[in-house]
Amino acid sequence: MLRVAVVGSGPSGCYTAQGLVQLDPEVRVDVLDRLPCPYGLVRYGVAPDHEKIKSLQNSLRTVLEHERVRFLGAVPVGPDGVPAARLRELYHAVVYCVGAAADRHLGVPGEALPGSWSATEFVSWYSAHPDAADAGFLHGVRSAVVVGVGNVAVDVTRMLARGAGELRPTDMPHAALTALAASEVTEIHMVGRRGPSQARFTTKELRELGTLPDTAVQVDAAEAALDPAFADPAGLPPTRRRNVEVLRGWTAPARPDARRLIRLRFFLRPVELLARDGRVGAVRFERTAPDGRGGITGTGRFEDVEGQLVLRSVGYRGVPLEGLPFDAATGTVPHRAGRVLRGGAVAPGEYVAGWIKRGPTGVIGTNRSCAKETVTSLLEDAPSLSGRALPGDPLPALRAEGVDPVAWQGWQAIERAESRLGASLGRGVVKLPDWESLLTAARGEDGAAARQP
């Protein structure tokens, strides 16, 4: 019998576990996660108002409830938990599906000012990630600047413009809902360094900005026209063409009765965050222009855009995991068809899937084919892996490493606690926002929920 550990319970981890149990009738899979809750970015990265995407949790739940799959939450892997080498001793194979946890920085002066955050930190706060802090994101903020023109930038822009009535039915934590309800933000600038035809959002998410109540969306026609494809998008790939068509519809003057205004800006590159009253107060941008080769060049002309909140959304990077090789240039673990490479040679029994394998690219569904490749490699190797004797059920050995896993029954207890919290607030399910409340819920109902295998 092949015993496999999958590190990470997001889509790539669940698709890996699913592929393994579907293709091998005897394999046993433990899905480990640093958090006590499963589903990764589906729980903590998808915007709370995107209920259809969040419903993917139902499919992932089916995987984790499979009779040969065991969820073990609150199991960190690395220096503060179970060493990678120890996992390798306890399982025939280990598949790392740990994502890309670090945000890219702008690398400009003033980036560390109070009020300057990564978009991921803001998302973690309104998604109730237990590592997030209530940092007073919106206190004293009238104008916000979002640097980036991808789907995450669209998400945080939309959350800044949403009204409390629209967010109340979601599972957003109550403190975040209360803060957004009291928000005094009236203007949001979403800014890209290149042109409209090169923006990376998907059209469905972009269109949503135009449906927000009491909110107008405006594109500067003269600025957008610096992009030759803005006037005639016919030659663009379909998604980019549709994006440009939506943006062209927003070049008319904004409605004067709107309470909030979203300005989509292009050909502006951030060069400095400016301090006012001890915190960020504006972003200085350099005007850019197409260089004729698909890139941009600076023009030496500058513009300051007011913002007491600055959110950077310029991409992600993988981070090294102690005990695994790492390519700093790509932010990934070196691999061959999912097999980890050490010094250019395949490391028996070690595999990767998801963003730590290919980089932060694609959509949620991309993880399915990515996981399939890795599963295929692992099962091809299975005859040489399964002959190694293991010490038995890994669970006691994991506890001996100082971790106290939250099993599936513990996660179900968390779900019940979140339902009770929502009912007490007159809402639906409301997420528990911190480690203490999550672990108390997981272990509080019968005292042993977290410890059942």
Side-chain angles (χ1 to χ4, degrees):
M1 179 184 69
L2 187 69
R3 189 177 286 278
V4 180
V6 173
V7 181
S9 66
S12 62
C14 287
Y15 292 147
T16 297
Q18 182 181 48
L20 287 167
V21 295
Q22 285 180 343
L23 296 175
D24 186 326
E26 295 187 355
V27 67
R28 301 276 176 171
V29 181
D30 283 351
V31 178
L32 316 180
D33 203 291
R34 184 179 71 86
L35 300 176
C37 308
Y39 311 136
L41 283 178
V42 177
R43 177 174 168 89
Y44 288 119
V46 174
D49 61 339
H50 276 179
E51 292 294 336
K52 185 175 181 180
I53 302 175
K54 288 174 71 66
S55 69
L56 176 62
Q57 291 181 162
N58 297 327
S59 298
L60 303 184
R61 171 187 291 274
T62 301
V63 177
L64 296 175
E65 289 183 333
H66 191 280
E67 61 182 0
R68 287 183 283 118
V69 175
R70 179 169 61 176
F71 172 73
L72 298 175
V75 180
V77 174
D80 298 322
V82 184
R86 183 60 173 146
L87 281 185
R88 184 70 186 90
E89 294 171 355
L90 298 175
Y91 295 89
H92 292 116
V94 184
V95 187
Y96 294 92
C97 307
V98 293
D103 296 276
R104 293 184 182 274
H105 288 260
L106 300 175
V108 301
E111 190 170 7
L113 283 168
S116 169
W117 304 92
S118 72
T120 299
E121 290 171 305
F122 188 62
V123 170
S124 293
W125 168 67
Y126 68 61
S127 298
H129 194 291
D131 290 340
D134 187 347
F137 289 100
L138 303 175
H139 181 70
V141 177
R142 303 178 306 278
S143 178
V145 178
V146 179
V147 180
V149 283
N151 279 349
V152 175
V154 171
D155 279 349
V156 297
T157 296
R158 193 177 66 254
M159 287 299 105
L160 286 167
R162 280 280 192 208
E166 303 159 74
L167 294 173
R168 188 174 177 82
T170 74
D171 62 4
M172 177 178 286
H174 208 63
L177 177 67
T178 302
L180 285 165
S183 168
E184 298 179 348
V185 174
T186 57
E187 195 165 37
I188 307 157
H189 306 263
M190 186 165 65
V191 187
R193 61 190 178 89
R194 298 195 291 178
S197 68
Q198 296 167 311
R200 294 183 176 272
F201 28 62
T202 53
T203 309
K204 179 179 180 296
E205 279 66 30
L206 178 63
R207 283 194 181 115
E208 283 186 87
L209 296 180
T211 67
L212 300 174
D214 300 321
T215 302
V217 185
Q218 188 171 53
V219 174
D220 186 315
E223 184 175 77
L226 296 171
D227 184 343
F230 191 73
D232 182 12
L236 293 172
T239 298
R240 295 187 179 187
R241 183 184 70 248
R242 290 190 292 268
N243 284 345
V244 169
E245 289 168 351
V246 172
L247 293 167
R248 289 173 64 182
W250 290 333
T251 56
R255 302 193 328 262
D257 60 330
R259 291 174 53 197
R260 290 173 294 270
L261 176 62
I262 297 172
R263 297 183 184 272
L264 275 69
R265 305 293 308 276
F266 298 97
F267 293 111
L268 292 172
R269 176 169 59 197
V271 295
E272 186 177 2
L273 274 60
L274 306 176
R276 293 178 185 169
D277 300 323
R279 59 173 295 147
V280 67
V283 183
R284 178 159 294 165
F285 291 94
E286 181 184 15
R287 168 68 64 194
T288 62
D291 63 5
R293 301 183 301 275
I296 54 168
T297 184
T299 65
R301 293 183 286 116
F302 299 90
E303 176 182 343
D304 294 350
V305 176
E306 179 188 353
Q308 299 80 36
L309 172 67
V310 176
L311 300 174
R312 67 175 186 274
S313 180
V314 292
Y316 302 91
R317 282 184 57 81
V319 297
L321 185 64
E322 187 177 36
L324 280 184
F326 187 73
D327 183 340
T330 62
T332 61
V333 171
H335 72 94
R336 183 180 300 145
R339 297 178 177 96
V340 172
L341 298 176
R342 292 182 179 273
V346 170
E350 294 181 308
Y351 302 85
V352 284
W355 278 4
I356 198 63
K357 171 186 173 184
R358 69 180 191 274
T361 61
V363 295
I364 290 175
T366 310
N367 292 293
R368 191 180 292 275
S369 57
C370 177
K372 182 179 179 180
E373 179 187 58
T374 298
V375 167
T376 299
S377 295
L378 193 160
L379 293 181
E380 286 176 356
D381 301 341
S384 63
L385 298 173
S386 59
R388 180 168 61 90
L390 299 179
D393 185 350
L395 195 55
L398 291 174
R399 290 189 178 124
E401 295 293 331
V403 300
D404 191 9
V406 171
W408 191 250
Q409 294 89 341
W411 160 239
Q412 291 175 314
I414 291 172
E415 289 185 302
R416 292 191 291 272
E418 292 183 336
S419 293
R420 291 194 299 270
L421 174 61
S424 72
L425 296 169
R427 298 173 57 192
V429 171
V430 174
K431 287 180 183 174
L432 298 173
D434 58 80
W435 280 97
E436 182 180 1
S437 58
L438 288 167
L439 293 176
T440 297
R443 294 164 179 158
E445 287 196 3
D446 60 17
R451 296 174 176 81
Q452 297 176 16

